[in-house]
Amino acid sequence: MSDSASSLPKVILVGHPNVGKSVLFNALTGAYATVSNYPGTSVEVSSGHCVIADQRYEILDTPGMYSLMPITEEERVGRQILLHEDPQIVVHVIDARNIERMLPMTLQLAEAGLPLVLVVNILDEAERLGMKLDLEQLQQRLGVPVIGAVMKRKIGLDELHAAIKDYRVCPHKVFTYREDLEQDITTVAKQLRGEYRLSKRALGMLLIQGD
């Protein structure tokens, strides 16, 4: 966001409200952060820095968002950041207690071709509710790194550092839909001629939804 940090690789935190993004942001950046309005809006975005394996990163904490198809101004700003800030890593933070409700956005981010890491936060409370999550199988099915975490106690922070340090961009898995929708997605995607931050498949789905 700031000119002084423009050359640093960026790690962008995204996710629903109240999933622990701010806790993770503070764990990564420490006490030093800048809060400013995103240009042209009244929406506040926090930025800070961290050092992982001698590499300095800029960390951006986006407003809460439920989908890549924005409804609120906060969601529009979150998507603008994903589209224009050239993230090296996108960290999607979800609440383990509500994993089924939050994974659809994970699928959107993966299908968009973004360099994604999934942090399944608040695992301790999910376990107290009797939930058992197979994160290894989830990682295999999504094709992206998945980290279990309790960020208020910094559990999972070292694993996230390692995932950021060792991240390798690779083709994401494609999640298929019913045949008629797949045909529509393919038809629309073939009409897109430019180069885009999001995959043409993801853009095709957003266009079909009227975005």
Side-chain angles (χ1 to χ4, degrees):
M1 295 271 295
S2 64
D3 292 339
S4 62
S6 60
S7 62
L8 293 176
K10 292 180 174 64
V11 176
I12 297 179
L13 311 183
V14 300
H16 290 206
N18 304 314
V19 295
K21 281 192 301 92
S22 296
V23 175
L24 173 53
F25 176 83
N26 292 335
L28 286 169
T29 63
Y32 302 100
T34 300
V35 180
S36 58
N37 288 354
Y38 194 75
T41 76
S42 60
V43 177
E44 291 185 341
V45 176
S46 298
S47 62
H49 301 91
C50 74
V51 177
I52 300 172
D54 298 324
Q55 171 64 58
R56 195 165 187 249
Y57 295 86
E58 182 182 8
I59 313 296
L60 299 178
D61 184 14
T62 64
M65 58 190 297
Y66 296 94
S67 167
L68 286 182
M69 187 170 180
I71 297 175
T72 66
E73 185 180 26
E74 286 78 10
E75 287 182 309
R76 283 191 287 273
V77 167
R79 190 171 74 171
Q80 285 292 98
I81 291 171
L82 289 175
L83 290 174
H84 297 296
E85 292 294 336
D86 193 20
Q88 174 147 328
I89 305 287
V90 174
V91 178
H92 185 206
V93 186
I94 67 174
D95 182 342
R97 299 168 299 179
N98 298 295
I99 190 168
E100 290 184 2
R101 184 165 59 90
M102 298 187 176
L103 281 179
M105 183 173 164
T106 309
L107 298 183
Q108 280 190 321
L109 294 166
E111 288 179 320
L114 295 166
L116 184 64
V117 173
L118 178 64
V119 171
V120 183
N121 196 25
I122 322 179
L123 267 181
D124 55 341
E125 295 187 25
E127 290 171 355
R128 280 199 290 272
L129 293 172
M131 298 176 65
K132 295 182 179 179
L133 303 179
D134 189 339
L135 300 185
E136 183 176 343
Q137 183 177 128
L138 182 61
Q139 177 169 289
Q140 292 174 354
R141 294 196 173 193
L142 291 174
V144 303
V146 175
I147 296 165
V150 183
M151 280 300 163
K152 65 183 180 183
R153 291 168 23 211
K154 296 189 177 181
I155 295 172
L157 186 60
D158 289 344
E159 290 80 358
L160 179 58
H161 283 176
I164 292 171
K165 176 176 72 73
D166 298 328
Y167 195 87
R168 298 290 182 272
V169 177
C170 58
H172 289 161
K173 293 186 176 181
V174 174
F175 308 101
T176 56
Y177 302 95
R178 67 177 189 266
E179 185 176 353
D180 57 342
L181 179 55
E182 284 293 331
Q183 291 175 349
D184 290 342
I185 293 169
T186 300
T187 299
V188 173
K190 284 182 177 178
Q191 306 305 312
L192 302 174
R193 306 298 185 190
E195 295 296 325
Y196 309 96
R197 170 65 55 201
L198 305 184
S199 71
K200 291 180 180 179
R201 177 179 173 85
L203 289 172
M205 286 190 287
L206 290 172
L207 289 168
I208 287 170
Q209 294 175 77
D211 192 333

